[in-house]
Each structure stands twice: as structure tokens, then as C-alpha cells.
Amino acid sequence: MIRSVLHTPGARQRLVAGVAMAMALIPMAARADDEALIARSSARHIEVYAAGGANWCQPSLHLRMVLTSESADRGNPAAQVELLDKMRREFEQTCPTAERADANVSEDGNITGHFHAERSSGWTFAAVTPPASTPPASSSAEPPPPWALSPDGSAPQGADATPAQPTPAATPPEPAPAPAAPSITIPPVGDQNYWGYLLFAGKNDPSFLANPDVQRCWAQGHMQSEWFRAGSDDFRQHEILEKAGQDMQAQSSVIGPNLIYASIETEFGHYDFQTGMFPIEIHGDTLNLSGSCAGDGIPSRVPLHVPDMQSITGFAMSPEDARNFERKRENFGWMNRRIWVLMTFEVDPKSASGNGGQTAYSATLRGYAVYGNSHMETPIYQAGPEQIAAQRAQAAKVAAEKRQKQLMARRDSEIQQLSNAPPPVRMANWINDDKPVELFRSLNNIRDTRFASMQNNGSPVEASFLVQTDGSGHKDVATTWPGHLDLTMADEKATFGDAGWYLVRGTLSTPTTGDFPDAQMTVVRAYACKQAQCADATDPTEIENRKIANATQAATGAPAP
């Protein structure tokens, strides 16, 4: 049962005929100035919000249907249309001025569907793909993301360590100050997240768009009303599938190479007066793009591994703008902290791994924009590669400062703990002096590391070793201990000196052909030992001093005194 919480005088319970749905009328639940909760169903685990707060009833309605993790309607466009269609009586009786409605479906903070209905069509919802506006004239058809241009149309200026403050929005109804920017084309909701993956896959492999299962997936999500009207008519379905393939081809042609746009819903924290930012916390470095399609060659879930996604640490505002921003989002003492972050990822097609049902990729964050509502019309804040790099550097500095303070506070106790640890653990902490003390970290075993690499088709595996070189140089330096291991410095300017003992850290890969071939290790960190078997790298006090010095250097940008 769906319960309406639309505010009408003399609210009372009534039955809505024709749809077998009970509507209990109680005072409207105002979630924030920009949204109102107008319907919910505890049985179907959904909530429906309308933009505009108390003034939500307008000729054009903007709705957001949130499906919780327990909803059985997730990933089911047909069921979602059925739920939205049950709102028609409420539109007719409670909001007679409404002529049209757009509804976004939100699952796990991701927009997974966009639907539209008109009064003239009896408030029957159907899936739509919002038309993309004409891209700016350039040598490429790729539409620039919202952070690509400055107000005069030129490339953005370089960023300081703290991102530049945005310019307040010119129109009062917007929920937050926004940077002045030209009209910029970004992919519509229907081309983001999982749909964005389909376009990415089709751009890199044209045969993917010819797959009938892929075309059926697109048709069911973007041409829903046509697909349902086709019923079991094979010829009509074939026409729609061809149309879906053409639509995907057209949409993928205006998106840059290897780009996927994805949006998430999250919350901002309390204003940080020291950094001049509202903090945002992104949990983890993997974003899952989930779809509802099933078929040959179509993954149901696409994990994007994006290590630099955690560099999204917040959005900058001056104290005065921040005060006004919070005032506009506060309602009866409750602060609406919900925001939407639209991100641009550059995905490496060659990094694909996994099986047909779940294909994972490595990606790089190229830009992001923060919005105050799910319609994502005017950004609150925008960041490009330079701002992201500055934020990443600032976050690393803050983390190093925190680590330095923790190390100083725990210095004596950690020296005692290292004194009781075996030599391989002490050596591992010596070569990993840019990390906290880890009593469970030990030097790796060459046999186990080779096996781990072979298990993954020879892919690189992180490892730390005690080695004895059999010569000097930069590349392919052989070892007498542990043997069958060749070393190459990651830094082109770095070399191994005379033959001797070293502690090394890096990635080991193993050739998959040949009779026990030598493993190859790319060394990112090396220490030339002063004593045999690196006995000098087992002093607990020196290990702790190295870690503190490293943290001090990272926090201040200069070596510790």
C-alpha cells in the first residue's frame, strides 16, 4: 500500500478507485525547502519526493522516487511505472494545476531511471531519455563536462592547494551559490551510471551495440512505452531493437573516448572554517554501476576501481556564502545535507577483469560537480583535474600530519613492540617507513608471491623482499638471494650500486611461459644495507625514527631536522 502525505484541508482517509490503492491523507511532510515527501509505501519500500517544498504543486512537477535496499521494485522499470501511475488521482485532485511530471528513480544514491507523464495522456508514465543539447562547436563532437570551461569559455586557471571559491548563483530560487558558467552539455540522466557503461562498451566495441540483448536492455530502459506496446509482436520488437541500436550509436558518438559519467547521492558535513570547505566523505575506492539487464555479454554489475575518488574531500565556499547556503537548506531546525555528485571517469578498456556477469575496470577521476538536488541543473561547485590534484595533495598532507602526531604519541610503546618482533617484521617496517608500524607485516616469501602472481595470469603482486644482488645497474639486475628474481628500478634515474644486500619494495610479476623463468620485480623503494643480511635494518629505535621523519617530511614538504 502506498500512503500519500499530500497536504489538503480536512485531510482524511479515502480509497482511490480503479487502482486498488489506499491513500491515507495526513499533513505534508516537508523534508527541506527544496523537496517535500508526498507519498510512501512501507510494503513496497519506496518514498516519493516533490521539488519545491511547500510550493511543490506547479504546472511542471519534478519528482524523485527513492527505492530502499529492501524494495523488490529495484531494477524493474515496469514495476516503477506501475507505482508512479498510481499517483494520477492525487495529481488530479490535489494538484489540479499540474500539466506534466518528470520523475527520477533513485537506488543506492544512483539515478537509475527517468520517467515522464502528461495530464493530456491520462498521467501515464513512460521512460524517456532527455534530449542532449547541442555541444559547443569544436573539432570534436564530445560535450564538455561542467568543469571544462570558465565563464569566458576558456580553460580554467590553475588551482591553489585550496580549491577556488565559487561565485554565488544569480537566481534566488537555487538552493546554493553556484559558479558562473556557460550553458554546458552534460549527459542526460539516461546516459549516466550503468547506461553510461553500455555507451562506453559500445564505443570501444561496435559489435556490442549490435548484440540483441544489449539492444533489448536499452529499449526496455529508454523506450519502455514502445516496448510494452509491441507486446509479443516479433516484427515490432525487431523494429524497436534496431531503433535502440541506432539510439545507442548516436548517444555514444557525443561522449568522449573512454568516458563514463556517474552520479552518487551523499551528504556534506559541518563547515570547516580552517579549510573554508563543506567536507564530503567518499567511502571506499570502488563505484558499482548496477543494472537490471540479463543476457549474453551483458554484465549485471560493473565495478569501477577509482583510487583517486577519495580525493573528493568537499566543496569550497566563503564563510558568508556558506552561512547563506545553510540558511536556505534549513527547515524547522533540520538541515538538509543531501547532495548529488556527478563525476567523470576515464576508464581503461584494457583493465577489464572478471567474468561475464561482473566486469571490473580501473578508472581515473577527471572531474566532478556538486548539485543541491537530484535534477542536477545548476552546480554548487565544480572541480577539474587541477583542483582534484590540489585536493589530493592537501588530503595527503593532512593525513601525514595526523600520522606524525600519532607516531610521536606512540613512539616509546611501538619501539618496545618492535623489540619483541622477529627480524623479518622489523625489516618490513623499515622498508615500509612511509606507513604506520604494522606488527603483522613481514617480508614476503618469494615462493608464495610467485604463486599468487601465477594464480592471476602473471599479474603484478605487491611485495617486500630481502635480496642480495649479483651486480649493479638500473634494469634486470640478477639476484643470488633469493634467486630467480630480476630487479628493475621504477625510477629511470635510480640504480643499484655494487653487488650486496638490499631491502626492496615493489610489484612482482611472473612469466606464464617457460621452465621456471625468473620473476620480474619493479622496485619503487630500495634500501642499500650497511651490514650483511641487512642486520642494521632491525634496530627498533631507528625504525621508529625513520617513520617519524618520513611523516614529518610528508606533512611539511621538507626533511625533518
Side-chain angles (χ1 to χ4, degrees), residues 497-528:
D498 296 335
W501 291 95
Y502 290 84
L503 288 175
V504 295
R505 188 181 93 193
T507 55
L508 178 143
S509 56
T510 305
T512 56
T513 59
D515 184 15
F516 202 73
D518 289 353
Q520 306 294 322
M521 185 172 189
T522 301
V523 178
V524 298
R525 205 175 188 90
Y527 169 72

Side-chain angles (χ1 to χ4, degrees), residues 507-555:
T507 55
L508 178 143
S509 56
T510 305
T512 56
T513 59
D515 184 15
F516 202 73
D518 289 353
Q520 306 294 322
M521 185 172 189
T522 301
V523 178
V524 298
R525 205 175 188 90
Y527 169 72
C529 304
K530 298 179 177 62
Q531 299 178 17
Q533 299 183 7
C534 294
D536 54 304
T538 60
D539 186 325
T541 301
E542 285 303 312
I543 295 173
E544 191 69 19
N545 289 341
R546 282 173 62 89
K547 289 182 178 291
I548 293 175
N550 189 288
T552 300
Q553 181 176 1

Side-chain angles (χ1 to χ4, degrees), residues 1-8 10-16 20-29 37-42 86-87 90 94:
M1 181 178 70
I2 296 180
R3 293 186 178 274
S4 170
V5 291
L6 302 177
H7 177 63
T8 58
R12 64 188 183 278
Q13 286 190 335
R14 71 178 185 274
L15 292 177
V16 177
M21 176 181 63
M23 308 292 286
L25 298 183
I26 59 177
M28 179 185 67
L37 174 62
I38 63 173
R40 67 159 62 95
S41 171
S42 57
K86 292 180 179 181
M87 300 288 295
E90 288 304 315
T94 310

Side-chain angles (χ1 to χ4, degrees), residues 82-390:
E82 176 191 355
L83 290 168
L84 290 168
D85 284 347
K86 292 180 179 181
M87 300 288 295
R88 67 166 65 97
R89 180 62 66 89
E90 288 304 315
F91 298 152
E92 292 173 353
Q93 295 188 357
T94 310
C95 188
T97 60
E99 294 295 333
R100 66 197 63 84
D102 288 287
N104 289 333
V105 175
S106 176
E107 302 176 20
D108 296 329
N110 296 320
I111 303 301
T112 58
H114 185 88
F115 302 89
H116 180 79
E118 301 273 351
R119 175 184 293 276
S120 59
S121 62
W123 291 119
T124 299
F125 280 86
V128 296
T129 301
S133 57
T134 304
S138 66
S139 59
S140 171
E142 174 190 348
W147 44 83
L149 303 175
S150 60
D152 62 358
S154 61
Q157 299 298 316
D160 297 327
T162 301
Q165 298 174 356
T167 304
T171 54
E174 292 300 330
S183 176
I184 296 174
T185 300
I186 61 173
V189 171
D191 294 345
Q192 298 171 18
N193 301 312
Y194 184 78
W195 303 115
Y197 160 73
L198 295 184
L199 298 178
F200 157 81
K203 198 174 186 73
N204 284 279
D205 180 10
S207 65
F208 182 79
L209 300 182
N211 183 336
D213 288 330
V214 175
Q215 295 174 348
R216 184 176 295 105
C217 175
W218 189 268
Q220 291 175 347
H222 291 71
M223 307 169 181
Q224 195 175 66
S225 58
E226 294 182 70
W227 182 258
F228 287 153
R229 285 197 298 268
S232 57
D233 187 333
D234 292 338
F235 293 92
R236 180 61 184 139
Q237 284 190 7
H238 179 71
E239 293 175 358
I240 297 173
L241 292 180
E242 287 188 333
K243 183 179 178 181
Q246 295 169 0
D247 186 42
M248 285 189 290
Q249 184 68 45
Q251 296 295 340
S252 64
S253 67
V254 296
I255 294 179
N258 300 329
L259 294 185
I260 292 180
Y261 293 80
S263 58
I264 61 172
E265 180 182 346
T266 184
E267 294 188 352
F268 63 88
H270 296 282
Y271 186 73
D272 188 330
F273 289 89
Q274 183 177 358
T275 62
M277 298 179 69
F278 283 107
I280 301 175
E281 186 174 0
I282 304 294
H283 298 283
D285 56 9
T286 299
L287 181 66
N288 291 309
L289 308 180
S290 299
S292 58
C293 301
D296 184 26
I298 309 179
S300 59
R301 189 162 68 99
V302 181
L304 296 182
H305 181 59
V306 194
D308 53 358
M309 189 164 59
Q310 295 188 26
S311 63
I312 300 178
T313 56
F315 53 96
M317 279 191 189
S318 68
E320 181 179 356
D321 289 341
R323 181 192 295 272
N324 294 330
F325 175 69
E326 285 197 345
R327 283 175 176 173
K328 291 181 179 180
R329 298 182 68 90
E330 185 178 359
N331 190 55
F332 298 107
W334 179 81
M335 179 67 65
N336 176 17
R337 297 189 175 277
R338 292 165 59 236
I339 53 174
W340 284 258
V341 182
L342 173 63
M343 297 168 286
T344 295
F345 299 112
E346 184 176 352
V347 183
D348 180 6
K350 298 179 181 180
S351 65
S353 62
N355 52 46
Q358 178 174 311
T359 305
Y361 291 88
S362 296
T364 302
L365 179 67
R366 292 305 184 196
Y368 69 92
V370 180
Y371 295 86
N373 57 51
S374 60
H375 307 303
M376 294 188 289
E377 296 163 344
T378 303
I380 299 170
Y381 178 78
Q382 305 168 81
E386 293 181 355
Q387 289 89 343
I388 292 173

Side-chain angles (χ1 to χ4, degrees), residues 422-483:
V425 172
R426 299 186 208 172
M427 294 182 190
N429 277 276
W430 181 286
I431 194 60
N432 290 278
D433 57 355
D434 57 335
K435 299 179 181 180
V437 170
E438 297 173 290
L439 298 176
F440 295 99
R441 175 186 289 272
S442 182
L443 292 177
N444 293 92
N445 178 286
I446 184 67
R447 183 192 307 172
D448 293 342
T449 308
R450 286 181 64 110
F451 180 76
S453 176
M454 291 293 293
Q455 286 287 93
N456 201 21
N457 297 322
S459 297
V461 177
E462 292 186 359
S464 300
F465 294 114
L466 168 66
V467 300
Q468 185 177 27
T469 60
D470 192 27
S472 60
H474 165 74
K475 186 176 181 180
D476 296 332
V477 177
T479 60
T480 55
W481 176 268

